[in-house]
Amino acid sequence: MQKFSKIVLTTFMGQAPDWYKYSVLGALILNPFILLAVGPFITGWIILIEFIVTLAMALKCYPLLPGGLLAVQTVFMGLATPEVIYKETLANFPVILLLMFMVAGIYFMKDFLAFTFTKILFSTRSKMLLSLMFLIAGAVLSAWLDALTVIAVIIAVSVAFFQIYNSASYEERVPGIADEAAREQTGREDLENFRGFLRNLLMHAAVGTALGGVSTLVGEPQNLLIGNVMGWNFPDFFFKMLHVSLPVFVAGLFTCILTEQFKVFGFGFQLPERVRLVLKSQADEDTKKRTSSDVFKLWIMGIGAIWLVIALALHLAEVGLIGLSVIIFLTAFTGKADEHQIGKAFEEALPFTALLVVFFGIVGMIHNLHLFTPISDWALSFKGQDQLNAFFIASAVLSAISDNVFVATIYITEAQKAFTSGIIDRAQFEQLAIAINVGTNIPSVATPNGQAAFLFLLTSAIASKIHLSYFEMLKLAFPYTVILSLAAYYFL
């Protein structure tokens, strides 16, 4: 029996630390007793906190395992139903399509992206300028494209850079140092600085997606939801948000400069000169080796990228379907005809897709138990400007721990009810819509579970390689969260 217990503990959750395994098992055992003792409402909040902890421990064990067990348990405990989870999943089906096909489509453009961003990387030695470029690129692109797509592009580029450096020998990484111990020490320092450099650029770009996403009707899924309720078209939405989105964007630029200048909150890592030389050497070698066939493939990928931007900007179809068209075009014209070659493109996104459905299960529990109702009732109890501030704060706090589309749905529905009931007028209704949109977009950068793009970054292949943990993301996001939230609150 003891031997069997050891086998179970060894295989359960794989290589996760024993203390974490015991914690998960303990939570699963205690949750039913907590339900009996304090009822479903408090139990729901406890399970929500437990789920957030599984996200925080993403580098110890992929959250699909412990988080999935918690989600399944909520169904067996009657806190959520399969029907509610299915409804939440169906409502977010465009996001699932995006993850399945768009991320895979980006995979087939990785050579073109690596080529393009290598040129950008070597265009300047200024880390601050590079940081601003990544922030602005993230903002501009996410105002027209989906934030997940933008992050997928940046991740693909970062993975390419890291693989180039990681595959180089110590002699290539640290030339001119005869002493073996000194060479290894210098190599480790360069690697840590390179990891920090990539963490910085990824976080600047990720925050940029929130800055751009808040400003347009198509920037984030909840924007479209709010716009439809309010009857706003693209120009209406842009100009309604401009008095908040523009100063918040400027505040984002200021924060980027501030963090890089003073090297605070984990920012300020420079690209080591030796790492730059390794990347430059590989880029030069790739250029020399590039055949006419390789050049043709780069052109095809470039055409695919142009089609992607145009199709997304004009919203010719659902984002996922556009991604599928990119896969078809690129595989056909670059000769990726083998099923196993194509299959590799889906390896990155499908685990996260499964995790996202688990997340929708937790959101279903929140919806089923009305966990956020007391907070929305509190926000509606205020009048005038105080009501705007309350809606902003409530949206901000809940979006940082839950799905921002779900939070926006709750609050815009409550605001609409108040308007149709004559409790508030049209002008106040519009101001509340702005407060909800800004509240669900900007402060949600505080945590990785605040936005799908941030969660995707946390659970991506690059995160473990560059030591981008949940708590590291919290630290890096902190100055942005504080400054952007204060700016948004002030200009509401």
Side-chain angles (χ1 to χ4, degrees):
M1 186 65 183
Q2 188 176 2
K3 184 178 179 182
F4 178 74
S5 301
K6 188 176 181 180
I7 292 171
V8 171
L9 183 63
T10 303
T11 55
F12 179 67
M13 287 173 50
Q15 300 300 313
D18 286 350
W19 66 265
Y20 187 34
K21 295 180 182 183
Y22 284 124
S23 299
V24 172
L25 288 171
L28 293 170
I29 292 168
L30 287 174
N31 285 340
F33 294 102
I34 295 172
L35 176 63
L36 292 172
V38 298
F41 188 82
I42 295 176
T43 305
W45 273 104
I46 290 172
I47 290 176
L48 175 58
I49 293 168
E50 290 171 353
F51 182 76
I52 292 171
V53 171
T54 68
L55 298 178
M57 298 299 295
L59 295 186
K60 300 294 184 183
C61 179
Y62 194 69
L64 177 64
L65 283 66
L69 289 171
L70 288 171
V72 171
Q73 187 181 48
T74 62
V75 176
F76 280 105
M77 290 169 60
L79 303 178
T81 64
E83 292 75 21
V84 169
I85 296 172
Y86 178 74
K87 186 179 178 181
E88 291 292 339
T89 305
L90 196 61
N92 288 277
F93 185 65
V95 179
I96 294 172
L97 269 183
L98 183 153
L99 286 167
M100 288 172 61
F101 297 129
M102 183 58 77
V103 176
I106 298 299
Y107 175 88
F108 292 111
M109 286 196 291
K110 63 180 182 179
D111 290 342
F112 172 77
L113 294 172
F115 171 79
T116 304
F117 276 85
T118 299
K119 298 292 185 186
I120 295 172
L121 185 66
F122 296 135
S123 65
T124 178
R125 290 179 178 271
S126 169
K127 169 68 183 310
M128 189 175 293
L129 183 57
L130 268 178
S131 299
L132 287 169
M133 288 167 66
F134 271 70
L135 181 81
I136 293 169
V140 172
L141 290 173
S142 64
W144 298 92
L145 317 181
D146 186 271
L148 271 170
T149 305
V150 177
I151 287 296
V153 169
I154 305 298
I155 288 173
V157 171
S158 300
V159 168
F161 285 155
F162 189 84
Q163 286 176 341
I164 290 171
Y165 182 70
N166 206 40
S167 61
S169 65
Y170 258 117
E171 287 74 16
E172 292 173 310
R173 292 189 199 181
V174 193
I177 299 179
D179 182 69
E180 186 68 24
R183 182 192 297 168
E184 289 187 7
Q185 177 64 24
T186 303
R188 280 194 295 269
E189 289 174 0
D190 282 352
L191 180 59
E192 285 307 310
N193 284 321
F194 185 40
R195 282 171 170 152
F197 176 80
L198 290 177
R199 285 197 301 268
N200 290 175
L201 292 186
L202 279 166
M203 282 303 294
H204 288 311
V207 172
T209 64
L211 294 174
V214 70
S215 61
T216 65
L217 185 65
V218 296
E220 289 286 348
Q222 68 266 27
N223 299 19
L224 193 58
L225 169 75
I226 292 169
N228 287 338
V229 169
M230 302 305 298
W232 292 339
N233 58 27
F234 192 97
D236 289 338
F237 192 97
F238 178 79
F239 287 109
K240 294 282 186 186
M241 296 297 161
L242 192 61
H243 72 283
V244 182
S245 61
L246 183 58
V248 168
F249 176 70
V250 173
L253 297 178
F254 170 74
T255 308
C256 179
I257 295 170
L258 197 69
T259 53
E260 289 296 337
Q261 178 66 37
F262 294 100
K263 298 178 172 56
V264 291
F265 296 102
F267 288 101
F269 282 93
Q270 300 295 320
L271 179 64
E273 185 59 30
R274 283 178 290 268
V275 177
R276 179 187 291 274
L277 290 174
V278 170
L279 299 178
K280 185 74 168 61
S281 175
Q282 184 63 47
D284 292 341
E285 189 176 337
D286 289 343
T287 301
K288 290 177 185 176
K289 290 181 178 178
R290 195 168 287 131
T291 63
S292 299
S293 175
D294 294 331
V295 173
F296 171 75
K297 289 177 182 178
L298 285 176
W299 275 103
I300 291 296
M301 292 175 195
I303 293 169
I306 293 170
W307 157 248
L308 176 66
V309 172
I310 292 173
L312 287 170
L314 298 178
H315 304 283
L316 300 181
E318 276 293 346
V319 176
L321 296 180
I322 295 171
L324 179 59
S325 72
V326 170
I327 293 172
I328 294 168
F329 175 73
L330 293 182
T331 52
F333 284 92
T334 59
K336 298 284 195 302
D338 185 76
E339 180 184 356
H340 298 292
Q341 279 183 304
I342 297 171
K344 288 180 180 178
F346 295 88
E347 291 177 0
E348 173 77 8
L350 285 183
F352 180 72
T353 306
L355 174 61
L356 203 60
V357 174
V358 166
F359 185 55
F360 296 148
I362 300 298
V363 170
M365 178 196 71
I366 294 170
H367 179 77
N368 209 40
L369 299 178
H370 305 288
L371 295 187
F372 294 167
T373 299
I375 303 173
S376 59
D377 290 344
W378 168 79
L380 280 168
S381 67
F382 293 93
K383 303 293 181 184
Q385 184 63 40
D386 289 340
Q387 191 178 61
L388 294 183
N389 296 339
F391 264 79
F392 173 77
I393 292 169
S395 301
V397 172
L398 296 183
S399 292
I401 61 173
S402 180
D403 176 41
N404 49 13
V405 178
F406 171 70
V407 174
T409 303
I410 290 174
Y411 283 111
I412 197 65
T413 302
E414 292 295 329
Q416 189 177 30
K417 285 179 185 176
F419 171 65
T420 54
S421 302
I423 298 172
I424 58 174
D425 59 17
R426 175 68 189 185
Q428 181 71 357
F429 186 28
E430 291 194 356
Q431 290 301 312
L432 286 178
I434 295 169
I436 293 165
N437 183 64
V438 176
T440 54
N441 272 288
I442 298 302
S444 59
V445 303
T447 67
N449 38 302
Q451 294 199 14
F454 281 57
L455 189 58
F456 182 52
L457 174 58
L458 174 68
T459 57
S460 66
I462 192 63
S464 59
K465 290 180 172 63
I466 63 174
H467 300 168
L468 185 62
S469 66
Y470 188 96
F471 296 106
E472 185 66 25
M473 286 187 75
L474 288 180
K475 182 177 75 174
L476 290 165
F478 181 76
Y480 278 112
T481 303
V482 173
I483 294 174
L484 299 185
S485 298
L486 288 175
Y489 184 85
Y490 180 79
F491 287 99
L492 267 179

